[in-house]
Amino acid sequence: MKSLVFNPFSGAAGDMILGCALDLGADRGDVKELIESSAPVSVNIREVVKKGIKALDVRINVPEKEHFRTYPEIVDLVKASKLPPKVEASALDIFLKMAEAEAAVHGQPDIEKLHFHEVGQSDALADVIGSSAAIHSLNCDSVYCTPINVGSGTIECAHGTLPVPAPATLEILRRGKLYFRGGNVNRELLTPTGAAILAHFAKPVENFPQGRAVAMGYGAGDAELQGPNVLQGVLIEPDSHLVPDIIEVLETNADDVSGEVLGNLFDELLSMGARDVAILPATMKKGRPAHIIKVIAKPEDSAKLARKIIVETGSLGVRVMPARHRLTASRNIERIKIDLEGQEFETAVKIARDSEGVLLNISAEFEDCKKIAKTSGVPVREVMRRAEEAARKLFS
């Protein structure tokens, strides 16, 4: 079992991601051949040194004159390349992410009419196909990305002068929920292509997952900066088959708050994105009855949830306790059909697996089962048992 961690301390572009994956061990000859057979380009790969760090520099040589492609033209080119199925699926999704971001920024509801500018060139096509092939060839069980240095200042592009990160890049970051930060370099360090590739492959983490490093690779950027302009990639063997997650625990003591207010707060916090809420009875000084409110939240949700707690309870402060090393099972929701009393019903079930795909737990969605119980007359406990039994047969 191994994981790939991208550490974009100097940003990321398509060619940097490609170079990084090749430096980590992806077959240079195979990837080069695949790129050149899929796009009208030639590829040069060489070792360079960037401020003392040896890295792979991938140069995509394109025709001198190219027209801007539409999104459908890009899709047709990818499909016509007869790529391996996983590589084709990744390339199509990466370009879809860029198309959706561009459409959102420009207010164009029909992506079929969208004209790509910089990201529609042959070098972007080569970067996306090559990076997809290289990353898949590393056969990692999971891919992560630490906060991305996006740079600062402004850039000149087909749409004029734009702030860094460019609006489309920022939209990709938002949709991919990737962590990022501004840097002290007055230039663009993260390109839309780089952002889309990372958003497709990587889960965002604030720090390196716990594990042992087995290989490091570096992809070189074009610009010469004060520091090394490279993208670092690390192959690690995680210490656990569980999935690393980043949460914060919010906590405050509340006295003189009625049960009705606490019940409403419970529902409000969950609707605002809290992962879990617990309200525990407690005894405070002078023997006063009180409650301890504990909330599990993603770091980006902590501020709004803390404010809600203060507004609803009158508390003067909320403690925030980071939990950087929580390990969780990977969870996904599936919908299944069950037969009860001669009727067919559909319900959601939550499937929990470790990072190697081993089934850990199956739990039926209570709200769905409650509705089914009301309609069928079967006790909700029995509905849940039947749903979990059916799901286990399907997903074990």
Side-chain angles (χ1 to χ4, degrees), residues 55 113 119 138 161:
K113 297 179 181 178
V119 297
L138 293 174
T161 303

Side-chain angles (χ1 to χ4, degrees), residues 11-49:
D15 57 345
M16 295 171 74
I17 296 172
L18 174 54
C20 180
L22 293 175
D23 201 31
L24 282 167
D27 190 284
R28 300 182 190 184
D30 288 350
V31 173
K32 182 178 185 293
E33 182 179 346
L34 184 66
I35 293 172
E36 292 178 341
S37 66
S38 306
V41 301
S42 62
V43 181
N44 293 327
I45 304 170
R46 63 190 181 111
E47 290 187 352
V48 297
V49 176

Side-chain angles (χ1 to χ4, degrees), residues 68-147:
F68 296 132
R69 295 186 176 97
T70 63
Y71 171 65
E73 286 177 323
I74 290 286
V75 171
D76 290 343
L77 280 171
V78 172
K79 289 183 175 180
S81 298
K82 301 191 183 304
L83 302 168
K86 285 185 178 180
V87 177
E88 178 181 298
S90 291
L92 290 174
D93 183 66
I94 290 165
F95 278 112
L96 177 61
K97 281 177 165 49
M98 288 191 275
E100 290 175 338
E102 291 277 359
V105 168
H106 300 307
Q108 169 60 268
D110 186 0
I111 63 172
E112 298 297 314
K113 297 179 181 178
L114 188 70
H115 279 76
F116 279 137
H117 291 279
E118 287 84 356
V119 297
Q121 300 294 294
S122 294
D123 56 348
L125 187 66
D127 288 340
V128 169
I129 290 174
S131 295
S132 297
I135 292 172
H136 279 300
S137 75
L138 293 174
N139 291 317
C140 293
D141 301 281
S142 51
V143 182
Y144 302 102
C145 182
T146 62

Side-chain angles (χ1 to χ4, degrees), residues 324-396:
R324 300 302 186 192
H325 302 296
R326 187 175 81 150
L327 295 172
T328 67
S330 176
R331 291 158 286 183
N332 66 292
I333 303 296
E334 302 284 352
R335 299 203 66 84
I336 65 166
K337 293 181 179 180
I338 58 173
D339 186 86
L340 293 171
E341 307 296 331
Q343 297 182 74
E344 188 176 72
F345 298 93
E346 186 177 276
T347 180
V349 291
K350 186 181 293 182
I351 312 296
R353 300 181 185 274
D354 68 15
S355 60
E356 292 194 329
V358 176
L359 182 66
L360 300 177
N361 188 47
I362 292 177
S363 58
E365 175 59 41
F366 176 75
E367 292 298 329
D368 284 357
C369 292
K370 185 169 73 171
K371 292 176 184 176
I372 293 171
K374 188 174 181 179
T375 302
S376 66
V378 176
V380 67
R381 185 175 63 176
E382 177 65 12
V383 175
M384 295 178 71
R385 186 190 70 79
R386 297 268 196 97
E388 290 167 2
E389 187 177 82
R392 197 168 290 277
K393 291 177 181 177
L394 288 171
F395 302 110
S396 293

Side-chain angles (χ1 to χ4, degrees), residues 228-276:
N229 185 18
V230 296
L231 171 64
Q232 181 186 65
V234 183
L235 292 179
I236 65 170
E237 290 179 347
D239 285 345
S240 170
H241 293 321
L242 298 179
V243 180
D245 190 19
I246 300 170
I247 60 162
E248 290 180 339
V249 180
L250 314 182
E251 182 180 286
T252 191
N253 299 342
D255 60 358
D256 196 27
V257 180
S258 70
E260 292 87 350
V261 170
L262 290 174
N264 179 69
L265 176 63
F266 191 104
D267 294 337
E268 290 282 344
L269 292 172
L270 288 175
S271 70
M272 291 172 64
R275 294 298 185 88
D276 204 356

Side-chain angles (χ1 to χ4, degrees), residues 256-335:
D256 196 27
V257 180
S258 70
E260 292 87 350
V261 170
L262 290 174
N264 179 69
L265 176 63
F266 191 104
D267 294 337
E268 290 282 344
L269 292 172
L270 288 175
S271 70
M272 291 172 64
R275 294 298 185 88
D276 204 356
V277 180
I279 300 177
L280 312 175
T283 302
M284 293 178 62
K285 60 185 178 183
K286 299 183 181 179
R288 292 199 307 269
H291 293 87
I292 299 174
I293 302 168
K294 298 172 74 76
V295 179
I296 297 175
K298 294 294 288 180
E300 59 265 28
D301 295 330
S302 290
K304 68 178 182 181
L305 295 173
R307 188 179 192 281
K308 186 65 175 177
I309 293 170
I310 291 171
V311 168
E312 295 289 342
T313 67
S315 171
L316 297 179
V318 174
R319 298 179 290 278
V320 180
M321 294 164 283
R324 300 302 186 192
H325 302 296
R326 187 175 81 150
L327 295 172
T328 67
S330 176
R331 291 158 286 183
N332 66 292
I333 303 296
E334 302 284 352
R335 299 203 66 84

